[in-house]
Amino acid sequence: MESYIAELNDAQRAPVLQKDGAMIVIAGAGSGKTRVLTYRIAYLMSQGVDAFNILSLTFTNKAAREMKTRIAKIVGNSEAKNLWMGTFHSIFAKILRFEADKLGYPSNFTIYDTQDSQSVIRSIIKDMRLDKDVYKYKQVYSRISSYKNSLITVKAYFQNPELKEADAMAKKPRLGEIYQEYVERCFKAGAMDFDDLLLKTNELLNRFPEVLQKYQNRFRYILVDEYQDTNHSQYLIVKALSDKFQNICVVGDDAQSIYAFRGANINNILNFQKDYENVQMYRLEQNYRSTKNIVNAANSIIEKNKTKLEKVVWTANDEGPKIVVNRLLTDGEEGRFVAGSIFENKMQNQLNNGDFAILYRTNAQSRAIEDALRKKEIPYRIYGGLSFYQRKEIKDVLAYLRLLINPKDEEALKRVINYPARGIGQTTMDKLSIAGNQYGKSIFEIIENIDHLDLKITKSTRTKLDNFVNMIKSFTILAENADAFTVADTVTKKTGLVQELKKDGTPEGIARIENIEELLNGIKDFVEGQKELADANGSLAEFLEDVALATDMDKDTGDDDRVALMTIHLAKGLEFPYVYIVGLEEDLFPSGMSMNTRSELEEERRLFYVALTRAEKQAYLTYTQSRYRWGKLIDAEPSRFIEEVDEQYVDYMIPQDDYKYKPLIDTDIFGDEVDKSKLRQTKPKKGTPPPAHKPSESQLRKLRKLKPASPEPEKARNEIKLEVGNVVEHMRFGKGKVLAISGVGQDKKAEIDFENGGIKNLLLRFAKLKFIS
Ligand SMILES: Nc1ncnc2c1ncn2[C@@H]1O[C@H](COP(=O)(O)OP(=O)(O)OP(=O)(O)O)[C@@H](O)[C@H]1O
Ligand SMILES: [Mg+2]
């Protein structure tokens, strides 16, 4: 037996050693799912499976790299290099390049990022003269994106009157036309957006059986991490590719499904057994990541969800300190508390900055935290947010590079045709655009043929356009032989980009030049790295693809020591010794936008579960009493999730005098006077605690029945549609009759005459009412 196999427990070893067939590993956080995938790949290779025949799909490219490094240690570097590992998007972008011509795309197609896509949509809305307050481009974009991820093409859209009706109901009757125009413009520009990378892969595998066969034969063994967050489009790709050999291993945790809002479909996990023959189901129960306190606290939260697979998670690790909950006055205080606590922990326990993570629900929350960390001189890195590649000056350089690779790339062209200024104005651009639409050609092609078209563009402007096109063409020729660095270096010099910034002379201008230098350094590194690989040569096209699909996480080389700041969504799959979860307030976490239905609330709760289970040694939860939101200082309420953590695993910090704490006297929804600060300190006892030690065999047998707990038919409490005359039940006041309803939406209230409490005016959003008749 290979020695690394000994680094697995019995339950983990089983799916690693089952070489063939379909298998699913369902298990809670930190139980070694990702480790199973990694070791399984190493094992397959030791059994003679060629690395070229293994496809492994991960949530980030960084995760893929880490797995590869681990595998390389076991099987050797040269073999591990040939593995196909990466995100769905990066793997299938590669395949699409090989096969692009079949779909009518150039193999050098551009990948439009979200900004590019939204910019195309904005100009369509403008060109169609639609009201931009009704047709909000971001909303339109996400609508189109969700169609694509459900494989609803333009044709399918128009064949399905229900979709059109739904959009009409949402006051966007022309959404289908926008969708159609968007698809046409992208196609004309030789561009695919992120969603196309999946949609077009599906199209490719469906329409061309010989292509499907080729990749089925190639990827004889397929592995998928974080399977709970695959969307329909991804699901179908995996299904098609694995259909022939059925050697597929997926791992996931339904309790960590947090992308339903982007189309992830939990049924992919629930139905896996139906999709393949002789599916082996494996469970892992022992958590190796966290202390008992953290594991048990996390169990006590997820227990509150009605839709879930029953699972056991226990740990043999130490008890560890309790979870610390602290209330602060403002977000500034919150930042100072977190920075101070990190500082103290570092001093007391001799830790590195990299041992800490600060997790939040929304990117906007990072600012106050950053201020505090800077004051304490604690180095940090923000993941997500505005990435390096989205900075203006970087996008400018990249636009030139994209354009020389794919001259049809309309978004790139618009960005740089008159930057630095070349005297090509908006009127000229409009004329070119109109001609482009009329002839179904790209602007670049229109300019190339400008002498044959009657566009009423002056001779002098035509010369300027000519010069621009010739410059780009000269770069294209250079790129045929030179590597990415040489090309990029030439472009920044010849286009006048750097000179323009030098002229500017302001500190911002200088910072921008430094960023461009940084980009060039990055390209140089990339070229050196790629030259070592068998199937790459450091070309510009390869670099651009890398950039288009890079997330901030991917750039993290981990070689400098910083505190990590990120949204919880980004933290999935990661682990840190110390984790601070900040902003635990109603309407922020759970998000005010996700409380309309029980399923949305449950997704927020899973998000909280993900956050807490990132922690190895200790977790901190913080909330504030008031917070600036949308420019207003509002009273914040502690998140319901804080109360949901079984109190035996929690330490509440008593506010110190220097917090300038003022008790907030308020009336609650029952009309009683309450001191809000005390509200959360007296908590009712919770139900049976989850197992702190390995549960008994009989308990395990009960819990192991891996069937979905049926969601209770009772409606989410804010879903209840009450009418005057209805009878309801309240936990405290007993039965009551609805006398009147007032307010709308979030403010909807009901006046109810209760058996035990008399007449009460209750905010329906909060009142725990059961509908009786
Ligand atoms: N048998 C084992 N012995 C020792 N350590 C282990 C074992 N299995 C897993 N670990 C460690 O436990 C931690 C969690 O493992 P891993 O990340 O694979 O869990 P996971 O199930 O993928 O978690 P998540 O659900 O958060 O993605 C890692 O640090 C891993 O190295
Ligand atoms: Mg994992």
Side-chain angles (χ1 to χ4, degrees):
M1 183 73 60
E2 336 283 328
S3 64
Y4 59 90
I5 298 294
E7 295 168 27
L8 299 165
N9 67 29
D10 290 349
Q12 293 170 333
R13 205 169 294 138
V16 168
L17 299 186
Q18 184 193 328
K19 182 167 166 256
D20 295 309
M23 64 200 85
I24 179 165
V25 180
I26 296 286
S31 56
K33 295 182 295 297
T34 305
R35 179 179 278 219
V36 162
L37 282 193
T38 313
Y39 284 45
R40 183 174 155 76
I41 294 170
Y43 181 74
L44 287 174
M45 291 170 72
S46 77
Q47 296 301 296
V49 177
D50 193 328
F52 282 106
N53 292 137
I54 301 176
L55 168 66
S56 167
L57 297 160
T58 52
F59 181 65
T60 59
N61 287 317
K62 178 170 183 253
R65 266 204 312 273
E66 280 172 8
M67 281 169 78
K68 222 177 202 173
T69 312
R70 183 80 193 93
I71 295 166
K73 282 206 184 110
I74 301 173
V75 301
N77 206 12
S78 60
E79 272 307 296
K81 265 192 183 147
N82 297 327
L83 287 164
W84 281 64
M85 297 183 101
T87 60
F88 275 90
H89 288 93
S90 67
I91 296 280
F92 295 110
K94 268 205 196 99
I95 291 181
L96 283 170
R97 287 217 190 274
F98 284 123
E99 316 289 347
D101 57 326
K102 299 197 176 56
L103 299 171
Y105 277 85
S107 70
N108 59 5
F109 64 82
T110 304
I111 299 172
Y112 272 176
D113 66 14
T114 308
Q115 279 184 16
D116 295 322
S117 301
Q118 290 182 346
S119 150
V120 175
I121 287 171
R122 225 171 17 199
S123 44
I124 294 172
I125 291 170
K126 189 168 149 236
D127 294 349
M128 285 171 67
R129 303 212 159 87
L130 297 170
D131 183 346
K132 66 179 188 316
D133 293 326
V134 177
Y135 290 87
K136 297 201 169 97
Y137 68 92
K138 283 188 184 170
Q139 274 177 11
V140 172
Y141 169 70
S142 74
R143 191 95 187 135
I144 290 176
S145 168
S146 74
Y147 286 141
K148 286 189 173 182
N149 280 316
S150 314
L151 262 53
I152 300 170
T153 57
V154 171
K155 194 166 157 217
Y157 179 93
F158 284 111
Q159 280 167 355
N160 186 341
E162 275 174 27
L163 294 172
K164 202 170 157 49
E165 251 167 56
D167 283 330
M169 290 281 283
K171 300 209 172 58
K172 296 184 186 61
R174 300 187 65 190
L175 204 125
E177 286 165 70
I178 304 179
Y179 185 14
Q180 182 165 27
E181 180 66 20
Y182 172 71
V183 167
E184 278 168 16
R185 287 197 191 182
C186 288
F187 186 75
K188 205 175 68 180
M192 294 200 197
D193 67 14
F194 286 146
D195 304 316
D196 283 334
L197 297 177
L198 304 176
L199 183 72
K200 298 287 170 195
T201 302
N202 266 304
E203 186 184 333
L204 182 73
L205 301 179
N206 275 331
R207 273 180 48 201
F208 304 94
E210 70 287 358
V211 177
L212 174 63
Q213 261 198 23
K214 175 167 125 192
Y215 290 102
Q216 280 180 335
N217 289 333
R218 162 130 209 198
F219 299 129
R220 273 171 200 241
Y221 291 85
I222 298 179
L223 304 95
V224 189
D225 200 359
E226 308 277 4
Y227 191 66
Q228 76 277 0
D229 278 328
T230 45
N231 64 29
H232 188 56
S233 199
Q234 293 167 326
Y235 162 83
L236 289 174
I237 294 171
V238 171
K239 179 95 180 68
L241 288 177
S242 58
D243 206 39
K244 181 164 175 199
F245 291 100
Q246 304 228 346
N247 294 321
I248 170 142
C249 170
V250 304
V251 309
D253 179 6
D254 59 297
Q256 295 185 68
S257 153
I258 54 175
Y259 280 97
F261 75 102
R262 272 204 334 221
N265 190 347
I266 190 68
N267 290 321
N268 296 347
I269 274 202
L270 304 181
N271 294 335
F272 187 84
Q273 279 172 300
K274 289 190 214 130
D275 289 334
Y276 297 90
E277 282 163 33
N278 298 324
V279 173
Q280 280 297 319
M281 165 92 83
Y282 295 101
R283 282 176 295 266
L284 311 175
E285 295 171 347
Q286 182 170 1
N287 171 303
Y288 287 89
R289 177 180 295 148
S290 315
T291 62
K292 283 197 178 64
N293 269 319
I294 292 165
V295 168
N296 290 338
N299 284 343
S300 74
I301 294 158
I302 206 65
E303 219 176 55
K304 308 277 187 302
N305 270 6
K306 296 197 188 308
T307 313
K308 62 175 185 293
L309 299 166
E310 292 302 336
K311 270 198 287 317
V312 181
V313 188
W314 62 277
T315 184
N317 292 345
D318 290 346
E319 193 94 28
K322 291 190 176 181
I323 292 167
V324 173
V325 173
N326 199 7
R327 175 198 59 215
L328 292 311
L329 204 56
T330 61
D331 56 356
E333 292 272 348
E334 186 180 48
R336 284 192 282 283
F337 166 74
V338 171
S341 167
I342 289 177
F343 190 80
E344 264 171 44
N345 271 323
K346 259 175 64 182
M347 291 299 138
Q348 275 170 16
N349 306 318
Q350 300 293 310
L351 300 168
N352 297 319
N353 297 314
D355 292 328
F356 298 89
I358 305 170
L359 308 180
Y360 33 76
R361 179 70 181 82
T362 62
N363 276 310
Q365 287 166 259
S366 74
R367 192 202 42 81
I369 311 275
E370 286 180 70
D371 289 347
L373 291 171
R374 269 199 305 271
K375 285 220 176 75
K376 279 236 174 298
E377 297 184 352
I378 300 173
Y380 62 87
R381 171 177 290 120
I382 301 196
Y383 297 84
L386 195 63
S387 95
F388 179 76
Y389 294 117
Q390 277 158 5
R391 294 184 187 162
K392 181 188 177 301
E393 63 279 12
I394 301 302
K395 284 209 85 163
D396 291 338
V397 179
L398 293 176
Y400 275 108
L401 300 180
R402 273 165 51 173
L403 193 58
L404 72 91
I405 292 286
N406 171 18
K408 290 187 191 169
D409 184 339
E410 215 87 337
E411 288 307 302
L413 180 124
K414 283 185 188 159
R415 190 170 183 104
V416 296
I417 193 162
N418 199 34
Y419 182 79
R422 302 190 173 88
I424 301 170
Q426 195 53 48
T427 329
T428 307
M429 286 308 291
D430 287 346
K431 286 179 189 159
L432 294 171
S433 270
I434 291 167
N437 288 340
Q438 194 179 330
Y439 293 101
K441 295 280 178 210
S442 68
I443 294 183
F444 200 88
E445 289 165 304
I446 297 290
I447 302 176
E448 283 181 308
N449 292 293
I450 202 156
D451 289 338
H452 313 292
L453 303 165
D454 182 20
L455 297 184
K456 310 222 161 34
I457 290 178
T458 62
K459 184 86 193 32
S460 84
T461 307
R462 271 188 290 174
T463 313
K464 288 171 191 159
L465 291 168
D466 253 0
N467 290 344
F468 177 76
V469 161
N470 287 335
M471 176 175 73
I472 299 296
K473 282 183 174 164
S474 74
F475 295 149
T476 308
I477 292 167
L478 176 68
E480 276 164 19
N481 295 308
D483 66 29
F485 174 76
T486 314
V487 180
D489 193 40
T490 313
V491 164
T492 53
K493 292 188 178 118
K494 290 264 166 72
T495 54
L497 265 181
V498 173
Q499 288 88 321
E500 179 81 8
L501 292 171
K502 277 194 184 140
K503 250 190 338 208
D504 173 281
T506 62
E508 291 81 42
I510 293 162
R512 292 207 159 122
I513 295 175
E514 284 168 1
N515 283 338
I516 291 180
E517 272 164 19
E518 181 59 30
L519 175 70
L520 291 175
N521 291 339
I523 298 180
K524 186 138 209 161
D525 276 355
F526 171 84
V527 170
E528 299 303 319
Q530 288 300 93
K531 279 181 179 161
E532 286 173 21
L533 294 179
D535 57 351
N537 47 28
S539 75
L540 185 58
E542 285 163 349
F543 174 75
L544 288 177
E545 176 158 323
D546 226 49
V547 168
L549 298 172
T551 65
D552 272 21
M553 199 69 80
D554 297 332
K555 287 196 315 265
D556 182 12
T557 49
D559 50 8
D560 52 6
D561 180 36
R562 290 160 189 276
V563 173
L565 269 67
M566 66 186 88
T567 62
I568 302 163
H569 279 101
L570 268 189
K572 199 168 60 144
L574 307 180
E575 54 192 19
F576 303 89
Y578 291 77
V579 170
Y580 294 79
I581 308 168
V582 299
L584 272 157
E585 291 140 38
E586 285 290 300
D587 277 355
L588 182 57
F589 191 18
S591 156
M593 302 205 267
S594 308
M595 284 198 282
N596 295 320
T597 61
R598 175 178 295 286
S599 64
E600 282 180 0
L601 181 63
E602 294 205 344
E603 175 142 323
E604 291 287 304
R605 192 177 281 117
R606 291 194 292 269
L607 198 54
F608 184 48
Y609 175 80
V610 169
L612 192 56
T613 52
R614 299 308 96 202
E616 296 167 13
K617 296 193 166 8
Q618 186 158 22
Y620 293 80
L621 313 178
T622 61
Y623 64 95
T624 66
Q625 284 177 258
S626 51
R627 182 181 294 273
Y628 271 103
R629 301 196 61 194
W630 310 288
K632 274 198 298 203
L633 192 64
I634 58 156
D635 274 355
E637 288 258 2
S639 167
R640 67 188 76 190
F641 295 151
I642 293 182
E643 278 209 46
E644 287 179 6
V645 184
D646 192 324
E647 65 178 344
Q648 57 176 310
Y649 310 117
V650 179
D651 253 346
Y652 285 83
M653 283 178 77
I654 309 295
Q656 306 290 315
D657 290 347
D658 60 342
Y659 285 156
K660 290 183 252 77
Y661 160 70
K662 286 187 234 88
L664 274 169
I665 303 294
D666 205 346
T667 47
D668 70 3
I669 50 170
F670 312 119
D672 301 331
E673 252 194 5
V674 285
D675 177 350
K676 274 191 184 172
S677 66
K678 293 208 181 99
L679 248 188
R680 309 292 153 166
Q681 284 172 14
T682 48
K683 302 195 326 153
K685 271 267 169 253
K686 296 285 152 45
T688 14
H693 306 284
K694 188 173 164 82
S696 75
E697 265 312 306
S698 69
Q699 277 174 314
L700 283 176
R701 266 197 304 277
K702 213 172 89 207
L703 285 160
R704 275 175 185 148
K705 279 195 206 121
L706 202 73
K707 66 172 190 347
S710 60
E712 212 172 90
E714 174 208 328
K715 285 196 169 177
R717 56 193 207 213
N718 39 10
E719 260 184 283
I720 297 183
K721 296 223 164 49
L722 279 190
E723 286 173 18
V724 174
N726 285 152
V727 177
V728 293
E729 192 172 57
H730 185 272
M731 344 190 281
R732 225 166 95 193
F733 306 131
K735 286 201 181 126
K737 195 167 181 179
V738 180
L739 301 180
I741 309 256
S742 61
V744 286
Q746 300 254 315
D747 295 326
K748 200 161 180 180
K749 293 192 192 94
E751 193 176 270
I752 303 169
D753 188 1
F754 285 105
E755 283 171 354
N756 311 331
I759 296 177
K760 301 273 172 205
N761 203 7
L762 301 185
L763 194 58
L764 288 178
R765 192 156 55 93
F766 284 121
K768 293 180 184 163
L769 293 176
K770 210 160 119 194
F771 185 79
I772 305 290
S773 66

